């Protein structure tokens, strides 16, 4: 929207105001590219579909942070550091256990990351220290999330194992059982697919905090706070909750029609950048079919397809298609993961992108400080209380 500024002229007379910062550019980055017209997502030059098929979360996190695919010894060392940092201080576990059972795991994750920061008081005003903290956080966020899953169910905490891969250990710490190959593969892929996505709300939030030269823990905590919202990462939970309420294809079609009639936004659809099918949703959809079948939840998958069909029929011409949050929930649900854990899992992955982008920005960091267009008066005189 072009906006005529009528107040004090200390910045350009005509400014373009993109609601929700639409069209605004924050910085240059070589970490990842979201091609909203072609429906393509690239990390450091590599198509995410290729990475989802062939890479691992550990390797992808390395790629995002260090800018290249690692040599074997480099990946081994990175992996060693991730494994070494899996333990969580018992004092932090005590803090988490004292929080209300009913609190959302994302709120508890915020507490956990702030607490981790209290026990590791470092700063990120240099790349070396920020990298160390970032690696710790990538490792510990998975442990903490798995612990929160067990605390929520009043189950004993399962200590991390150092011999398992990142996704494998994460699932092991949730269930107490070493996951089968397909489960590990699918969780690994989910972590790869969520790891970075341009200047999304949570990435921007964490970068704004980091740009003040605050510490890595505070920046990542802020990212978690932002990711929690239902318009962002939180959509995966709402989307699945909507789907499991629908018991037949007819009911599913009617539900979508009612949403359209009442102008209710349908969770798991639409995107600021993608005006075509989200490439991540395409990959999730493929696996969702297989995993749902394996879990005896083919009906749930069919309901999801019907919802997609109805939404795309109504809104496809407006560029509204399933986004990353639509089919991911089906997969997690079929793997036996509680809905309240879906958004924390998003954070377990996205922390790699947050860390990478903060570290990339840091050497030339300048505090983010945009302006608002002031539309109020500037010449009012203060009136004492009794004269108002
Ligand atoms: C993620 O940005 C990222 O990269 C985020 C993410 C990542 O990896 O980090 O991809 C992860 O957050 C995915 C999005 C999860 N959120 C949802 O699924 C919630 C439902 N989706 C929408 O609320 C919406 O599409 C957003 C929040 C995703 C995007 O919001 P925008 O760009 O501000 O779009 P908008 O709300 O201004 O909508 C534009 C138009 C409107 O119609 P008109 O008023 O122009 O006629 O599209 C319509 C909207 O009503 N619309 C929808 C819709 N999404 C947009 N209509 C129905 N259902 C929807 N889901």
């Amino acid at each position: 929207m072009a906006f005529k500024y009528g107040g004090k002229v200390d910045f350009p007379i005509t400014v373009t105001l993109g609601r929700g910062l639409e069209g605004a550019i924050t910085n240059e980055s070589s970490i990842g590219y979201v091609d909203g017209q072609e429906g393509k997502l690239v990390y450091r030059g590599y198509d995410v579909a290729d990475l989802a098929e062939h890479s691992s979360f550990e390797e992808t996190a390395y790629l995002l942070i260090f800018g290249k695919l690692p040599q074997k010894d480099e990946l081994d060392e990175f992996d060693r550091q991730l494994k070494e940092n899996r333990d969580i201080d018992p004092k932090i576990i005590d803090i988490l256990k004292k929080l209300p059972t009913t609190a959302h795991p994302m709120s508890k994750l915020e507490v956990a990351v702030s607490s981790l920061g209290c026990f590791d008081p470092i700063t990120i005003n240099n790349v070396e220290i920020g990298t160390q903290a970032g690696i710790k956080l990538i490792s510990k966020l998975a442990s903490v999330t798995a612990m929160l899953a067990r605390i929520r169910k009043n189950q004993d905490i399962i200590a991390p194992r150092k011999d398992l891969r990142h996704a494998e250990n994460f699932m092991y710490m949730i269930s107490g059982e070493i996951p089968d190959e397909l489960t590990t593969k699918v969780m690994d892929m989910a972590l790869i697919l969520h790891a970075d996505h341009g200047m999304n709300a949570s990435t921007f939030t964490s970068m704004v905090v980091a740009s003040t030269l605050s510490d890595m823990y505070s920046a990542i905590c802020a990212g978690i706070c932002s990711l929690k919202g239902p318009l962002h990462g939180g959509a995966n939970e709402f989307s699945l909750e909507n789907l499991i309420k629908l018991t037949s294809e007819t009911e599913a079609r009617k539900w979508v029609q009612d949403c359209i009639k009442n102008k209710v936004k349908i969770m798991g659809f639409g995107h600021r950048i993608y005006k075509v099918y989200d490439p991540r949703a395409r990959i999730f959809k493929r696996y969702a079919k297989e995993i749902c079948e394996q879990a005896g939840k083919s009906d749930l998958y069919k309901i999801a397809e019907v919802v997609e069909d109805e939404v795309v029929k109504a809104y496809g011409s407006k560029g509204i298609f399933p986004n990353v949050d639509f089919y991911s929930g089906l997969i997690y649900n079929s793997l036996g993961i509680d809905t309240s854990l879906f958004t924390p899992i998003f954070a377990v992955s996205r922390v790699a992108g947050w860390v990478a982008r903060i570290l990339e920005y840091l050497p030339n960091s300048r505090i983010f400080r945009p302006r608002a267009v002031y539309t109020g008066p500037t010449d009012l005189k203060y009136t004492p209380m009794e004269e108002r």
Side-chain angles (χ1 to χ4, degrees), residues 197 231-232 265-266 268-269 271-272 280 318 323 350:
H197 208 243
L231 293 187
H232 192 10
K265 282 194 180 160
I266 302 164
F269 287 88
H271 201 276
R272 174 68 62 79
R280 301 165 299 174
K318 277 172 81 175
N323 60 46
R350 183 57 57 87

Side-chain angles (χ1 to χ4, degrees), residues 113 137 141 206 216-225 351 354-355 358:
V113 172
L137 275 160
L141 231 61
S206 64
M216 185 63 98
Y217 291 94
S218 303
I220 299 306
C221 183
I224 292 169
C225 297
V351 63
W354 294 331
V355 167
I358 288 168

Side-chain angles (χ1 to χ4, degrees), residues 20 28 186 205 256 268 344:
E28 288 183 3
V186 168
T205 306
V256 176

Side-chain angles (χ1 to χ4, degrees), residues 2-17 371-374:
F3 189 94
K4 269 271 181 226
Y5 180 66
K8 276 179 148 337
V9 183
D10 69 342
F11 69 87
I13 299 288
T14 302
V15 294
T16 303
L17 188 63
R371 295 184 71 159
V373 176
Y374 178 66

Side-chain angles (χ1 to χ4, degrees), residues 19 22 34 194 196-202 227 230-233 235 264-275 278 280 311 315 318 320 323-325 346 350:
R19 283 184 62 240
E22 182 164 12
V34 183
H194 283 99
D196 186 67
H197 208 243
M199 200 48 60
N200 59 84
S202 57
L227 186 69
L231 293 187
H232 192 10
V264 173
K265 282 194 180 160
I266 302 164
M267 295 289 140
F269 287 88
H271 201 276
R272 174 68 62 79
I273 310 296
Y274 291 123
K275 296 307 163 202
D278 182 332
R280 301 165 299 174
V311 176
Y315 291 138
K318 277 172 81 175
I320 294 172
N323 60 46
V324 69
D325 290 320
F346 198 146
R350 183 57 57 87

Side-chain angles (χ1 to χ4, degrees), residues 200-240:
N200 59 84
S202 57
T203 299
F204 182 50
T205 306
S206 64
M207 284 185 62
V208 170
V209 173
S211 82
T212 71
L213 298 186
S214 184
D215 62 280
M216 185 63 98
Y217 291 94
S218 303
I220 299 306
C221 183
I224 292 169
C225 297
S226 172
L227 186 69
K228 184 182 176 195
L231 293 187
H232 192 10
N236 55 15
E237 298 179 23
F238 288 91
S239 173
L240 196 270

Side-chain angles (χ1 to χ4, degrees), residues 122-135 216 359 362:
I122 54 159
T123 61
I124 55 157
N125 47 19
N126 82 52
V127 170
E128 197 190 326
I129 294 171
T131 306
Q132 284 166 18
I135 293 171
M216 185 63 98
L359 293 173
L362 205 51

